[in-house]
Amino acid sequence: MRLFFGVWKLALLAALQILISLPLMYWLVTVLFGQAKLSAFAGASLWVVVGVSADNIFVLTETWGQSRQLLRDGRPAEMPDRLSWTVRQAGVPLFYANATTAVSLFINCFSSLPAIFQFGLCGGILLFVNMALGLTYLPALLVLQERAAVERSTSPSPLTLTLSPSLSLSLALALSLSLS
């Protein structure tokens, strides 16, 4: 991902999306679906989700890049218009891709073997949680990264980079969710 994004910070924060989805999935599976103990096989669904989530990240990032060409009244579109366009353009295909993969995992819930059941349940839920984060968390990261790039290009000293309050809050929230 580092090669794709070109900067370590954005690559790590995008990958953090997958880690943030784990405690959310765990809560849903244990509290809402009553699975007190999860098998190691349930954790294997993480590999499926990592692949699909990486694809989601690439699709959203590429669509965000294409939004730079978006025009409104003959002028380049403002960032809110670009963000809305990006989520609408990428959201439908991502939903279908994630939903079909999740359904294929949820089919495992018909198994009488608890490990297979949990594999399907955890994987399907994790896909939907990660997709929701991908359509909220990742676009916010892309906007913050672009704003930081604009601020760096207009700042007098390229060696000083200060974090905006919103970026600091986002980082603190992401870190606290991943640690809980």
Side-chain angles (χ1 to χ4, degrees), residues 156-171:
S157 172
L159 297 177
T160 58
L161 174 64
T162 57
L163 293 178
S164 66
S166 59
L167 180 58
S168 298
L169 181 61
S170 297
L171 291 174

Side-chain angles (χ1 to χ4, degrees), residues 47-70:
W47 297 110
V48 173
V49 174
V50 166
V52 173
S53 298
D55 187 48
N56 293 351
I57 290 167
F58 295 138
V59 168
L60 273 164
T61 305
E62 285 297 313
T63 307
W64 175 250
Q66 292 172 6
S67 75
R68 291 185 185 103
Q69 306 299 320
L70 191 62

Side-chain angles (χ1 to χ4, degrees), residues 14 39 42 80-81 102 137 151 168 174 177 180:
S39 68
D81 290 333
Y137 172 81
E151 288 172 9
S168 298
L177 286 175
S180 59

Side-chain angles (χ1 to χ4, degrees), residues 63-132:
T63 307
W64 175 250
Q66 292 172 6
S67 75
R68 291 185 185 103
Q69 306 299 320
L70 191 62
L71 298 175
R72 295 283 188 238
D73 300 325
R75 295 175 305 156
E78 299 289 326
M79 202 168 294
D81 290 333
R82 289 178 52 209
L83 185 61
S84 174
W85 181 85
T86 298
V87 172
R88 282 185 283 116
Q89 281 294 114
V92 173
L94 289 181
F95 173 77
Y96 285 124
N98 283 273
T100 55
T101 306
V103 167
S104 72
L105 288 167
F106 283 139
I107 288 173
N108 291 310
C109 292
F110 290 111
S111 174
S112 60
L113 299 171
I116 303 294
F117 173 85
Q118 288 179 353
F119 173 78
L121 182 65
C122 291
I125 289 174
L126 193 55
L127 274 171
F128 279 119
V129 168
N130 208 328
M131 184 189 70

Side-chain angles (χ1 to χ4, degrees), residues 5-70:
F5 286 116
V7 291
W8 279 106
K9 184 170 39 172
L10 187 59
L12 291 174
L13 288 172
L16 183 65
Q17 164 192 326
I18 298 167
L19 293 177
I20 292 171
S21 63
L22 289 174
L24 296 172
M25 178 275 302
Y26 182 78
W27 181 84
L28 288 169
V29 169
T30 57
V31 173
L32 292 183
F33 292 99
Q35 297 294 308
K37 289 177 132 183
L38 294 181
S39 68
F41 197 56
S45 64
L46 177 62
W47 297 110
V48 173
V49 174
V50 166
V52 173
S53 298
D55 187 48
N56 293 351
I57 290 167
F58 295 138
V59 168
L60 273 164
T61 305
E62 285 297 313
T63 307
W64 175 250
Q66 292 172 6
S67 75
R68 291 185 185 103
Q69 306 299 320
L70 191 62

